[in-house]
Amino acid sequence: MYKNLVRKSLFAATSVAAGLLATALVAQENPIDNISPVTDEMLLNPPDGDWLMWRRTYDGWGYSPLDQINKSNVGDLKLAWAWAMTPGRTQQTPLVHDGVMFVQNADHVIQALNAATGDLIWEYEYELPDGVRARGERNKAIYEDKLIVATRDAHLIAIDTKTGQLIWDKQVANHNFGYSFSAGPLVANGVVVQGMTGCGRGQPGGCFITGHDADTGAEIWRVNTIARGDSPEGNSWNGIPLESRHGASVWLAASYDPEQNLIFAGVGQPYPWISEMNGLLPVSADPNVTNDALYTNSTLAIDVTTGELKWYFQHLPSDSLDLDYAFERILIDLPVNGQERKTVVTAGKIGIIEAIDRVTGEWLWGVETVPQNVVLSIDPETGKKEINPEVIPRIGETTFNCPADPGGKSWQATAYSPRTGALYLPLVEFCSNTTPNPLDPGEVYTGGGRATFARVPVPDSDGNVGRVDAVKLSDQSTMWSYRQRPPVTSSTLPTAGGVVFVGSLDRKFLAFDDETGEILWSSGKLSNSLESFPVSYMVDGKQYVAITANFASGLGRLRQITPEVKLPANDPITVYVFALPD
Amino acid sequence: MPAFLELPRLAGSTPALALFVMVSVSPPVTVPAQEPEFYDRPYAENQWTYGRRMDESQLRYCVDRRDPDWEVASAIADAIALGLLLEPQRYVVESNIIFDDITKVYAVMLEHCDIHMGFKLIPQGYPDWITVTRPYYDAEYVFVAADLGIQALADLAPSRPIGATMGTSAHLRLVSYLSALPADDRWVTYPMGTSDLALQSLLEGKVDVALVWAPNFWIKQREDPVYDGLNVIDPAPLPPIVLGVGAILLSNETFLRAAIDEAIAALRADGTIADILDEYEFPARAAP
């Protein structure tokens, strides 16, 4: 049963008690009264002061055009307000529209806050079924009068942005089979696009991306992320049948190119990770099959209206190390060999930045960042990677790979600044001694880790694990590289003010000079690790920067190699909002 | 020869890799614990509200109705409690979710039980917040066939498919064996998500042999006659794949674990557990 437990307008409630005069006075201060529908035009060109989707714009840049906070004054940033969220892990991206911030707690209480003051406006509780672990979602979407939210039990729901009332609720898959959402949707050309995760042993066949009617939630189309049928793609699973194919999760929301009406989405690896377990090894003797395991670790270009798969590019075939290419796709027009190309740029967990022509799917270039020993070489024409055979896990053996499974670059998104032409990457440097483990300690309670990943520092490391790189995309040169001991744990946020914000495992929120990498500001120690997506917005002419503090596992697992970084035991979750003093 | 982009930092040269391997075998001094992903710090809602339990005259145990042996395990847990002069208090975990991450058992144990029955003894298979008792019985993974002409695995022709319950200890041993054979002599292994799916594929003729946990096959045959035509075959040329099954406790329960281990040893020695297995005609052994 889903219910609106506490739908409040605090200001309105106050006004009833205080009389009509107070009603008029307070109502002016409540931004919910003036919240406007989010149109297609607004999503194509978001107001500078809003943050309407996961990476703010369809091109996935994660860039704020606000410049009130800039290099010269960022050092004066002060806490404007904070909001404690309910316990449980979340990696959420707050959305902001017309002065209202929308947040999703791990227990699926969704709240609207006054983005200038932090006051609660309304809240809606989506009741998760028994047995479904309460965890947050990485993003939400706003479209027209709806806040569209994905849930951990594989539903999509739409909530009225003004009232917090449920508009529709659509079950996309049965959570009993392991299906779950860890990120939310993108709304493009009126279609709600959502990627599925958790497609493991409970139900074979792999994950999928679905397109939904924004008015009803009804499914319009579905693209299976594991290739099927008698085709080169369908025959890329080492001869095992569909009943034995698992994985290909879609962990994060897509980007969108309105000119082509295409979305670009990343797909994760096969399950379980170890190739000898998932059937991709030993290699089949059948000459008509490969073990590339399409469309795992691929970029998919999909027509958002029809769901037609236009092209794909597989970055890492037959991944056995959980080094997937499942993260953000950034759309940038770049010069390549003297010619302007429309590209889609992404970086997988190996930390190699790659550019693909987003019209043709042609691979254009790649450049390394963190230390790695997985890819020996890349064909400059095709992008095909030569994989180091020594790093492929084998049953009964321990192998050594860099980076370790959480990735040199993980779900924490990179961001692109048109000011500098640079991509800002949150990175970590570490390795793993990897030993395959059986999954069956219990019949239903499984190991799930598929292997023991004993994470260790990079050989000859100077002890620094966390890193932020600024890479100029026109020539792939490194503008600057900042390194520190604690792992960097949040996405990056460059702004028109010339600063780049990023969070760290040691509870600090940092601001860099976007051109030099100099640290211009650091918050005090906050309540927890900063594993989330920072955003910036403006209300009544004042710029704010927000980030959610939480230890959400992920790169937080790197606490193993930075044991001196201590975090609170009860994992407090807090939204922090910073601004310049009045 | 394609002109490959050489990636110089770590990957390029054999000496560099050799150095990596050499370095990696030395335990890193800064790492206090080597934890796989599933050693993830467990979390239970309101976990700080659970204190020390006051009623110590009871043995609170959990069984999970999704486990094929949950009734057998209940009988064994009752016997363990009586052996310790404790009052058994059973909690049956009810869920329709096919698989749960092992960290979810943390919340179940905090709220409901001191021991949770039904966990295989797998070396290095558990996080450090869990400890496992000695096994109260030993059971096998079994190869099952529908064709009466297949009496042993050795009877299966090369290239014929085996549906193996994916990622299990038995699956790993099968793959290791196959990997050592010439490619033309191998059977094909189709990983199946669960024992149920492996048996279903066998019934549908999609595989010739299924590799499943014997208690799962036992419960399917008890519940549905469609499985009556399936037969356990000789695993040769592989040896039998046997795993002990015990209970888990939170790792700080050292005193209780020692007491339960003593009780299990006594109940195996005096034939109590064997009698329970016989009563249910359960495919396991509990020799002293």
Side-chain angles (χ1 to χ4, degrees), chain A residues 87-89 107 130-135 175-178 200-204 238-241 243-246 271-273 276-279 281-283 285 322 352 363 366-381 384-386 388 390-391 395-396 400-402 405 431 433 435-460 467 478 485 551 553 557 559-563 567-571, chain B residues 2-13 17 19-21 23-43 45-48 64-69 93-106 108 116-126 141 163-173 175-176 178-179 183-184 186-195 197 201 204 206-207 213 215-216 243-245 248:
Chain A
R89 293 166 179 169
D107 62 0
D130 288 343
V132 175
R133 192 193 299 262
R135 285 189 172 179
H175 73 271
N176 285 328
F177 292 111
R201 294 195 287 154
Q203 181 67 42
N238 206 33
I240 61 174
E243 289 87 346
S244 294
R245 303 178 187 184
H246 303 83
Y271 293 162
W273 300 333
E276 289 178 315
M277 291 189 200
N278 63 32
L281 286 178
V283 173
D322 185 24
I352 298 175
W363 187 87
V367 61
E368 276 190 295
T369 56
V370 295
Q372 64 89 19
N373 71 339
V374 175
V375 177
L376 295 177
S377 63
I378 303 177
D379 184 322
E381 299 298 322
K384 184 176 173 61
K385 297 178 178 69
E386 180 189 4
N388 179 1
E390 302 294 324
V391 305
I395 294 168
F400 181 68
N401 56 277
C402 305
D405 54 299
C431 303
N433 290 307
T435 312
N437 267 347
L439 303 179
D440 57 342
E443 279 305 285
V444 293
Y445 293 104
T446 70
R450 303 94 178 168
T452 301
F453 295 97
R455 290 141 193 155
V456 295
V458 173
D460 302 324
R467 177 168 152 180
T478 301
R485 169 76 174 156
F551 172 71
S553 190
R557 296 184 200 122
R559 287 199 308 167
Q560 295 164 20
I561 55 174
T562 55
L567 297 177
N570 60 349
D571 199 9
Chain B
F4 274 76
L5 277 177
E6 292 296 331
L7 302 181
R9 295 187 184 174
L10 287 177
S13 66
L17 285 173
L19 175 64
F20 261 45
V21 173
V23 171
S24 67
V25 296
S26 303
V29 293
T30 57
V31 183
Q34 303 292 326
E35 298 181 350
E37 182 196 30
F38 64 84
Y39 284 20
D40 211 349
R41 184 176 61 165
Y43 175 82
E45 194 170 354
N46 299 322
Q47 61 186 10
W48 49 88
D64 194 313
R65 203 183 291 274
R66 292 170 290 182
D67 286 346
D69 74 340
V93 178
E94 305 277 2
S95 175
N96 292 320
I97 296 174
I98 306 291
F99 283 116
D100 272 328
D101 187 286
I102 200 167
T103 57
K104 286 183 73 172
V105 83
Y106 179 71
V108 172
H116 195 308
M117 307 293 282
F119 287 83
K120 304 185 187 81
L121 273 69
I122 297 174
Q124 300 180 330
Y126 289 90
Y141 279 94
T165 312
M166 186 165 66
T168 57
S169 305
H171 180 209
L172 269 57
R173 290 190 203 179
V175 170
S176 294
L178 294 176
S179 297
D184 291 341
R186 293 173 187 156
W187 302 298
V188 175
T189 305
Y190 294 164
M192 296 293 171
T194 63
S195 289
L197 290 170
S201 291
E204 293 171 355
K206 294 177 178 175
V207 298
W213 180 234
N216 283 101
L243 287 175
V245 174
I248 59 170

Side-chain angles (χ1 to χ4, degrees), chain B residues 7-288:
Chain B
L7 302 181
R9 295 187 184 174
L10 287 177
S13 66
T14 301
L17 285 173
L19 175 64
F20 261 45
V21 173
M22 185 175 67
V23 171
S24 67
V25 296
S26 303
V29 293
T30 57
V31 183
Q34 303 292 326
E35 298 181 350
E37 182 196 30
F38 64 84
Y39 284 20
D40 211 349
R41 184 176 61 165
Y43 175 82
E45 194 170 354
N46 299 322
Q47 61 186 10
W48 49 88
T49 63
Y50 294 96
R52 183 178 174 83
R53 186 162 68 86
M54 296 302 291
D55 184 356
E56 296 184 346
S57 66
Q58 295 179 328
L59 179 67
R60 302 179 311 153
Y61 69 89
C62 285
V63 289
D64 194 313
R65 203 183 291 274
R66 292 170 290 182
D67 286 346
D69 74 340
W70 72 277
E71 289 178 294
V72 178
S74 294
I76 294 171
D78 286 343
I80 292 170
L82 292 174
L84 295 172
L85 302 178
L86 296 171
E87 178 190 349
Q89 187 179 55
R90 185 176 79 171
Y91 179 81
V92 181
V93 178
E94 305 277 2
S95 175
N96 292 320
I97 296 174
I98 306 291
F99 283 116
D100 272 328
D101 187 286
I102 200 167
T103 57
K104 286 183 73 172
V105 83
Y106 179 71
V108 172
M109 296 188 72
L110 272 189
E111 190 168 1
H112 299 295
C113 47
D114 307 307
I115 67 171
H116 195 308
M117 307 293 282
F119 287 83
K120 304 185 187 81
L121 273 69
I122 297 174
Q124 300 180 330
Y126 289 90
D128 55 10
W129 51 271
I130 284 178
T131 185
V132 192
T133 68
R134 66 187 305 162
Y136 43 76
Y137 68 67
D138 304 299
E140 288 185 30
Y141 279 94
V142 291
F143 292 93
V144 179
D147 181 351
L148 291 175
I150 303 174
Q151 292 294 313
L153 196 58
D155 297 336
L156 189 65
S159 83
R160 297 304 303 169
I162 299 172
T165 312
M166 186 165 66
T168 57
S169 305
H171 180 209
L172 269 57
R173 290 190 203 179
L174 174 63
V175 170
S176 294
Y177 172 76
L178 294 176
S179 297
L181 295 178
D184 291 341
D185 293 345
R186 293 173 187 156
W187 302 298
V188 175
T189 305
Y190 294 164
M192 296 293 171
T194 63
S195 289
D196 285 5
L197 290 170
L199 291 168
Q200 185 66 33
S201 291
L202 180 60
L203 287 174
E204 293 171 355
K206 294 177 178 175
V207 298
D208 290 350
V209 170
L211 175 56
V212 299
W213 180 234
N216 283 101
F217 183 47
W218 168 80
I219 196 74
K220 299 304 279 188
Q221 286 199 312
R222 279 168 63 104
E223 293 177 344
D224 190 341
V226 74
Y227 293 93
D228 288 349
L230 305 183
N231 303 292
V232 174
I233 63 172
D234 185 338
L238 268 69
I241 302 166
V242 181
L243 287 175
V245 174
I248 59 170
L249 302 85
L250 297 180
S251 55
N252 58 351
E253 296 280 7
T254 52
F255 179 80
L256 181 60
R257 186 229 153 121
I260 288 175
D261 277 349
E262 285 187 35
I264 290 171
L267 294 170
R268 285 185 74 137
D270 70 8
T272 301
I273 294 179
D275 289 346
I276 293 170
L277 299 178
D278 287 346
E279 179 186 342
Y280 285 88
E281 298 178 336
F282 190 76
R285 293 180 296 276

Side-chain angles (χ1 to χ4, degrees), chain A residues 139-388:
Chain A
N139 72 291
K140 304 165 281 294
I142 303 181
Y143 185 62
E144 298 173 335
D145 59 347
K146 303 174 190 70
L147 179 68
I148 304 174
V149 175
T151 71
R152 284 283 168 174
D153 63 338
H155 284 232
L156 279 173
I157 61 172
I159 301 163
D160 189 305
T161 51
K162 189 183 272 294
T163 67
Q165 289 186 311
L166 184 69
I167 298 175
W168 51 256
D169 178 345
K170 173 69 178 175
Q171 179 180 341
V172 182
N174 185 346
H175 73 271
N176 285 328
F177 292 111
Y179 294 116
S180 179
F181 291 134
S182 70
L186 170 85
V187 180
N189 203 3
V191 177
V192 182
V193 180
Q194 177 66 43
M196 182 61 72
T197 61
C199 312
R201 294 195 287 154
Q203 181 67 42
C207 278
F208 39 85
I209 301 170
T210 49
H212 299 260
D213 183 320
D215 289 331
T216 65
E219 187 172 317
I220 303 168
W221 51 259
R222 177 176 295 212
V223 174
N224 291 300
T225 52
I226 283 183
R228 304 173 173 203
D230 186 12
S231 62
E233 292 82 11
N235 292 328
S236 66
W237 281 80
N238 206 33
I240 61 174
L242 188 62
E243 289 87 346
S244 294
R245 303 178 187 184
H246 303 83
S249 288
V250 181
W251 290 104
L252 290 154
S255 301
Y256 174 59
D257 179 356
E259 193 177 326
Q260 299 189 82
N261 199 36
L262 294 181
I263 60 155
F264 301 92
V267 181
Q269 75 280 61
Y271 293 162
W273 300 333
I274 306 304
S275 295
E276 289 178 315
M277 291 189 200
N278 63 32
L280 296 174
L281 286 178
V283 173
S284 169
D286 184 345
N288 298 313
V289 304
T290 71
N291 68 347
D292 291 345
L294 288 163
Y295 302 102
T296 62
N297 286 357
S298 297
T299 296
L300 304 185
I302 298 168
D303 184 296
V304 78
T305 303
T306 66
E308 181 187 357
L309 178 61
K310 292 290 189 182
W311 58 258
Y312 67 87
F313 179 84
Q314 188 175 38
H315 299 268
L316 184 64
S318 194
D319 173 21
S320 56
L321 291 164
D322 185 24
L323 294 176
D324 49 1
Y325 277 72
F327 310 123
E328 73 285 351
R329 265 60 182 168
I330 298 182
L331 314 183
I332 317 170
D333 295 347
L334 291 172
V336 178
N337 297 328
Q339 185 182 0
E340 193 77 357
R341 303 290 291 263
K342 297 178 184 300
T343 77
V344 50
V345 173
T346 192
K349 282 185 175 177
I350 305 172
I352 298 175
I353 309 168
E354 298 181 44
I356 312 289
D357 186 307
R358 69 175 183 268
V359 177
T360 64
E362 177 191 358
W363 187 87
L364 298 173
W365 54 258
V367 61
E368 276 190 295
T369 56
V370 295
Q372 64 89 19
N373 71 339
V374 175
V375 177
L376 295 177
S377 63
I378 303 177
D379 184 322
E381 299 298 322
T382 66
K384 184 176 173 61
K385 297 178 178 69
E386 180 189 4
I387 303 302
N388 179 1

